[in-house]
Amino acid sequence: MTNNSADAIVVGAGLAGLAAAAELGDRGKKVIVVDQEPAHFLGGQAFWSLGGLFMVDTPEQRRMGIKDSYDLALRDWMGSAQFDRDEDAWPRKWAEAYVEFAAGEMRPWLHDMGLRWFPIVGWAERGGSYADGHGNSVPRFHITWGTGPGVLEHFKRRVREHVSNGLVELKFRHQVSHIIMQNSAAKGVSGEVLADDTAPQGAKTNRDEVGEFEFYAPAVIVTSGGIGGNFEMVRKSWPRDRLGEPPKDMVAGVPFHVDGRMIGISEKAGGHVINGDRMWHYTEGVRNWNPIWPSHGIRILPGPSSMWFDAEGNRLKPPCLPGFDTLRTLKEILKTGHEYSWFVLTQKVIKKEFALSGSEQNPDMTDGGWKEVLFQRILTGSKATAPVEAFKEHGEDFIVANTLTELVNGMNHLGGGLIDEAHLRAQIEARDSQIDNPFTKDAQMAAILAARNYRGDKLIRTAKPHRFLDPANCPLIAVKLHVLTRKTLGGLQTNLDSQMVGADGQVVPGLFAAGEVAGFGGGGYHGYNALEGSFLGGCIFSGRNAGRSRAVA
């Protein structure tokens, strides 16, 4: 390989870029991978993920008594996606292809690569309405041993093997500003070399220019991620007609470098963004007491038992239950005119049901050791995992109290005095009245009882029902929840070979996109809603398709 030419250039060294580069190297192609961040950022935002993968009809599911199938998963996906636009033709094809992959080749291929999964399959995004609507009918969230780093490890290894054999060259601190086009076909990229930066992984780095570069190849694969670290772009793309006005106060669930920079650059080269108003932001964000990147937020992954109230202390109505319908809940919260909401719970609930999204917040699973998992999640007495307890102690959004009066005083101090204690008490007492027998008319209590029918939830994810206001179950806990930015569901339109498709419906020669910048495939294979585990899965699948594409000569 010469210093500035190759068979393909991959822009972005995240999971999708690594998957594409690994596949290209396997084919004997010479590849230059460029990324604006330092070498120790290799893997991008996938490093910070919980490592969950949406897979279908797996041995892990069958061992837990879960009956799943391609047909059921596709029904769930399409009911969640709700494709309704002419431009959804390619996203629909990508959705069908991914579900087929997730129900077939995905697990054995990844298993052969070395990935392994926690044996209890998670039940994320449960929906809570009708069987033909949004949500997972069964648990499908497979957490990788090692979390995000455990997923990346094997793709990094494959890429580094190709670095060693001279097929792949990694160029860090190279910021692409232009895709070089000639006769309407991609010929390479150009941009600025940035100054070295030793900031910790995920932190904001400098943009000091110390040089320029040009690299040439007949194939340019853009795998640069989404916009979740760029609040300005998030607000610009916000679907006001569906969700209302974007929050003025948000927390960032992804690092600063998830800036959307390559989207406009790709459009100038002939790419076409579709479904730009489709996005996925969480409602259970808390401010990180030990932040790494600007406005760093962490998502609580809740079990089903926390009571959910709006900013004024009104209980949210089904399907706005913890872990059931993300965007419906986001819409309902913003309709109140406030930008935050509250969980109210007990120590028994936080111990069994609170997990924090992110590899760094789950060191037991990230280290991949059963002994530590058992200690952190089973053998800690009344305490939650160490990271959750640290947030409870240090996090500015957590209030711990021995009485409801103390709790409400804390909530009003933190939230602006909007909670009436008598009103809150009446709602919790009504909920507590449903505890004494296995029958209930409370939709959340019915959901809790249903969850405990799944032995995975009963074992580690759903607390035994108990009265919140019983002094024996103190302390009470309230958590102020913020909107947390995360994923772009729309993106650059691509065909099933990950080739960019222009506004005229024609392939742009030499231009490819994969991962979040392509809406995880096709320009938005999720449609309006995500089923979880489909972000990392989409990066792997679309990056693999790009690397295997015969359009890369």
Side-chain angles (χ1 to χ4, degrees):
M1 187 191 310
T2 63
N3 288 333
N4 68 342
S5 65
D7 296 315
I9 296 167
V10 176
V11 183
L15 179 57
L18 292 173
E23 294 293 325
L24 288 166
D26 287 353
R27 294 170 55 195
K29 301 297 182 183
K30 295 181 178 180
V31 185
I32 298 173
V33 180
V34 297
D35 196 284
Q36 67 185 4
E37 299 306 320
H40 60 284
F41 281 44
L42 181 64
Q45 62 175 303
F47 175 87
W48 303 100
S49 78
L50 190 57
L53 294 172
F54 176 101
M55 295 190 291
V56 178
D57 191 22
T58 65
E60 289 78 16
Q61 287 176 300
R62 293 191 289 273
R63 281 194 290 267
M64 294 303 297
I66 301 163
K67 296 180 180 180
D68 201 5
S69 67
Y70 166 80
D71 289 337
L72 181 60
L74 185 64
R75 180 183 295 275
D76 285 350
W77 192 292
M78 293 303 176
S80 299
Q82 300 168 23
F83 294 122
D84 61 358
R85 298 173 176 173
D86 291 342
E87 61 193 27
D88 283 331
W90 280 118
R92 183 186 292 274
K93 291 177 182 178
W94 271 92
E96 293 168 347
Y98 177 75
V99 175
E100 183 177 3
F101 176 62
E105 186 182 0
M106 183 177 183
R107 187 193 179 279
W109 178 65
L110 293 175
H111 189 275
D112 288 346
M113 201 184 301
L115 278 75
R116 299 293 185 268
W117 298 276
F118 188 63
I120 298 176
V121 183
W123 194 357
E125 206 63 18
R126 305 182 187 204
S129 52
Y130 297 110
D132 59 354
H134 170 57
N136 284 296
S137 297
V138 299
R140 296 191 177 104
F141 191 73
H142 296 70
I143 298 176
T144 307
W145 277 116
T147 65
V151 175
L152 287 168
E153 170 190 352
H154 305 283
F155 291 94
K156 287 182 178 180
R157 170 180 47 78
R158 292 176 61 196
V159 168
R160 284 171 174 148
E161 288 172 357
H162 292 311
V163 171
S164 297
N165 64 28
L167 288 174
V168 174
E169 188 173 2
L170 300 173
K171 293 286 191 179
F172 298 103
R173 301 302 282 161
H174 281 63
Q175 175 181 266
V176 172
S177 292
H178 304 283
I179 297 174
I180 301 168
M181 303 294 291
Q182 186 176 31
N183 298 324
S184 300
K187 295 299 179 184
V189 299
S190 65
E192 302 76 41
V193 180
L194 303 178
D196 290 340
D197 199 309
T198 59
Q201 186 171 4
K204 184 177 180 179
T205 57
N206 74 71
R207 294 294 181 264
D208 301 334
E209 299 175 12
V210 296
E212 297 179 344
F213 69 89
E214 290 186 359
F215 297 134
Y216 298 95
V220 174
I221 305 172
V222 178
T223 60
S224 55
I227 66 174
N230 186 333
F231 287 175
E232 182 180 350
M233 289 190 72
V234 168
R235 292 188 178 101
K236 184 178 180 180
S237 300
W238 193 271
R240 289 170 170 81
D241 58 329
R242 297 198 313 278
L243 297 180
E245 288 298 310
K248 296 181 177 65
D249 177 53
M250 297 186 287
V251 291
V254 293
F256 176 77
H257 61 72
V258 186
D259 58 9
R261 176 182 176 83
M262 284 301 302
I263 296 174
I265 293 169
S266 299
E267 287 182 295
K268 288 181 180 178
H272 179 50
V273 171
I274 60 174
N275 299 317
D277 63 330
R278 293 179 182 169
M279 52 184 62
W280 192 253
H281 305 305
Y282 292 111
T283 51
E284 312 100 328
V286 292
R287 299 187 189 279
N288 193 344
W289 65 272
N290 188 23
I292 297 171
W293 54 79
S295 302
H296 189 173
I298 296 291
R299 185 201 175 198
I300 295 170
L301 303 174
S305 300
S306 296
M307 296 188 73
W308 207 337
F309 298 92
D310 67 22
E312 297 179 356
N314 302 303
R315 192 178 181 191
L316 298 183
K317 297 178 180 180
C320 301
L321 304 174
F324 277 71
D325 192 331
T326 293
L327 290 192
R328 175 73 174 270
T329 306
L330 176 59
K331 180 179 180 179
E332 291 302 311
I333 290 170
L334 294 179
K335 276 172 60 176
T336 68
H338 303 285
E339 299 175 346
Y340 66 92
S341 60
W342 295 98
F343 276 164
V344 172
L345 58 148
T346 66
Q347 181 65 27
K348 289 182 178 179
V349 172
I350 201 171
K351 185 256 188 312
K352 197 158 189 178
E353 298 194 9
F354 265 37
L356 300 172
S357 181
S359 56
E360 82 285 9
Q361 301 297 334
N362 296 274
D364 52 344
M365 290 186 174
T366 300
D367 292 341
W370 260 115
K371 183 177 180 181
E372 188 63 21
V373 169
L374 289 172
F375 176 76
Q376 284 287 332
R377 299 174 190 267
I378 305 294
L379 304 177
T380 54
S382 63
K383 290 186 176 181
T385 63
V388 171
E389 289 291 336
F391 264 85
K392 193 180 79 173
E393 180 180 356
H394 302 294
E396 63 182 86
D397 295 312
F398 284 70
I399 302 164
V400 182
N402 287 320
T403 68
L404 186 64
T405 298
E406 292 176 13
L407 193 78
V408 170
N409 288 339
M411 294 168 73
N412 281 331
H413 177 75
L414 191 59
L418 301 178
I419 306 295
D420 177 76
E421 181 183 343
H423 180 51
L424 192 70
R425 183 182 296 275
Q427 293 172 92
I428 300 174
E429 287 177 342
R431 177 260 181 212
D432 282 359
S433 73
Q434 303 288 295
I435 296 299
D436 291 338
N437 58 61
F439 306 99
T440 183
K441 66 178 181 180
D442 185 284
Q444 184 173 13
M445 287 304 306
I448 293 168
L449 295 173
R452 286 177 62 84
N453 284 329
Y454 168 45
R455 64 176 180 266
D457 272 354
K458 186 174 183 179
L459 179 64
I460 66 167
R461 204 70 179 102
T462 306
K464 183 178 179 180
H466 57 278
R467 292 175 179 267
F468 280 14
L469 295 182
D470 185 338
N473 295 323
C474 285
L476 289 166
I477 300 166
V479 187
K480 185 180 181 182
L481 304 172
H482 307 267
V483 175
L484 177 140
T485 64
R486 186 59 66 90
K487 295 298 179 186
T488 313
L489 297 189
L492 293 162
Q493 187 173 219
T494 59
N495 64 17
L496 288 173
D497 277 331
S498 292
Q499 294 174 283
M500 288 194 207
V501 176
D504 61 357
Q506 301 300 308
V507 165
V508 184
L511 271 185
F512 301 76
E516 189 173 354
V517 75
F520 302 94
Y525 84 156
H526 291 99
Y528 289 97
N529 292 284
L531 289 175
E532 301 293 6
S534 49
F535 300 131
L536 292 185
C539 287
I540 291 169
F541 184 57
S542 60
R544 186 178 99 141
N545 278 19
R548 293 186 175 189
S549 173
R550 293 302 164 183
V552 180

